Amino acid sequence: DAGITQSPRHKVTETGTPVTLRCHQTENHRYMYWYRQDPGHGLRLIHYSYGVKDTDKGEVSDGYSVSRSKTEDFLLTLESATSSQTSVYFCAISESPLGQGASYGYTFGSGTRLTVV
Amino acid sequence: QKEVEQNSGPLSVPEGAIASLNCTYSDRGSQSFFWYRQYSGKSPELIMSIYSNGDKEDGRFTAQLNKASQYVSLLIRDSQPSDSATYLCAVNAASGGSYIPTFGRGTSLIVHP
C-alpha cells in the first residue's frame, strides 16, 4: 500500500511474550489507527492517534498499548500475548478526523498476521 | 453502542448483473459513510464515500444514502468476476468530539461467469 507499511507481515509468538507491531507512513498524515480483524467480528478499533504523543483507546484496547513518538511511526505493543490476540492487525491513516466533512476515508496497510501459540 | 449492520452473504450474482449491497446504521448523528472493498487476504480499499442524501456515482459504482431511513447502499453495475470480494460499510459519527468510524462485518459478493 502506497505510503504505509506494516512490519512484520507475519509473526508467530508464544503466550506470555511481549510483541510490538510497527506502522510506518510517509504521507505525513496526522491520524493513525490500529485495528484487528477477526472472522465474525469485522474490523475493531484498538487504539488511535491524533498526533505525536496523543493517543486514545478504541473499542478493544485491553491488553494493548501504543506509542507515537514521531509523526511517521505508530507502534502497537501486546504486553503479554494471549491466544485471544491471534488476529490480523491493520494500521490505517487518514488526513483528517473523519466525519468533519472529510472525503478521504482511510488508507490501510497490508496487515500483520499474528499467531499466538 | 453504535451499530452498523450488513448481510454477511454471500451475495451471488451473474456476470453483467447489478449487485446491490446494503448497510443500516443505528446512530442518527452519523455524518460520513464509506464503502471499502477487501479481497481475500488483502487489506480494505476505499471505493466510495458519501455525505449527503441521494446518489453518488463513480464509474460502475453508485452509493445511495437515505439518512431518514438510516441506510446506505452500494450498487455495482455490470458486475465482473474481479468484483468478487467482501464489501465493508463504515459509518462515522461524533463520539466525544472525535470522529471514529464503526465498520460493519462486511458482505461477501461472488460474481460468477
Side-chain angles (χ1 to χ4, degrees):
Chain A
D1 296 309
I4 177 171
T5 56
Q6 291 184 235
S7 59
R9 291 296 309 276
H10 302 272
K11 185 170 183 65
V12 179
T13 191
E14 293 186 349
T15 298
T17 60
V19 178
T20 296
L21 309 182
R22 180 180 184 239
C23 179
H24 179 77
Q25 60 141 332
T26 58
E27 304 296 321
N28 201 35
H29 287 348
R30 179 178 172 186
Y31 300 88
M32 300 184 75
Y33 311 80
W34 277 107
Y35 282 87
R36 61 178 289 176
Q37 188 174 39
D38 305 286
H41 289 280
L43 280 162
R44 293 182 292 174
L45 182 67
I46 305 171
H47 282 279
Y48 65 99
S49 171
Y50 45 94
V52 173
K53 298 193 189 313
D54 291 323
T55 64
D56 207 346
K57 295 179 180 180
E59 175 188 0
V60 290
S61 60
D62 287 349
Y64 301 95
S65 62
V66 291
S67 66
R68 191 163 178 206
S69 59
K70 298 184 291 183
T71 298
E72 57 265 37
D73 290 325
F74 192 32
L75 304 180
L76 176 70
T77 298
L78 290 65
E79 303 292 346
S80 177
T82 67
S83 58
S84 65
Q85 294 176 311
T86 292
S87 186
V88 178
Y89 291 86
F90 287 106
C91 177
I93 60 175
S94 67
E95 292 187 57
S96 72
L98 304 178
Q100 294 180 2
S103 61
Y104 310 114
Y106 282 165
T107 299
F108 283 89
S110 298
T112 294
R113 184 173 295 276
L114 176 68
T115 303
V116 183
V117 298
Chain B
Q1 178 76 12
K2 294 183 271 293
E3 295 186 348
V4 177
E5 299 290 339
Q6 295 182 256
N7 188 320
S8 62
L11 173 66
S12 182
V13 301
E15 184 174 358
I18 296 175
S20 178
L21 305 163
N22 300 312
C23 172
T24 59
Y25 59 94
S26 62
D27 189 339
R28 284 195 172 274
S30 300
Q31 300 182 0
S32 307
F33 308 86
F34 303 85
W35 283 100
Y36 292 83
R37 177 178 62 201
Q38 186 174 24
Y39 293 114
S40 180
K42 302 295 185 181
S43 58
E45 171 193 15
L46 179 68
I47 55 172
M48 289 289 286
S49 59
I50 188 167
Y51 311 97
S52 304
N53 279 328
D55 294 358
K56 179 181 178 182
E57 187 174 318
D58 184 0
R60 295 187 296 113
F61 298 100
T62 299
Q64 300 176 317
L65 176 60
N66 184 322
K67 289 186 178 181
S69 300
Q70 294 177 242
Y71 83 80
V72 57
S73 62
L74 179 70
L75 301 179
I76 306 175
R77 292 181 299 281
D78 188 25
S79 296
Q80 301 297 309
S82 59
D83 294 324
S84 298
T86 296
Y87 289 80
L88 306 175
C89 173
V91 176
N92 279 24
S95 174
S98 65
Y99 294 79
I100 301 297
T102 299
F103 283 82
R105 298 179 182 182
T107 297
S108 174
L109 172 66
I110 299 172
V111 181
H112 53 86

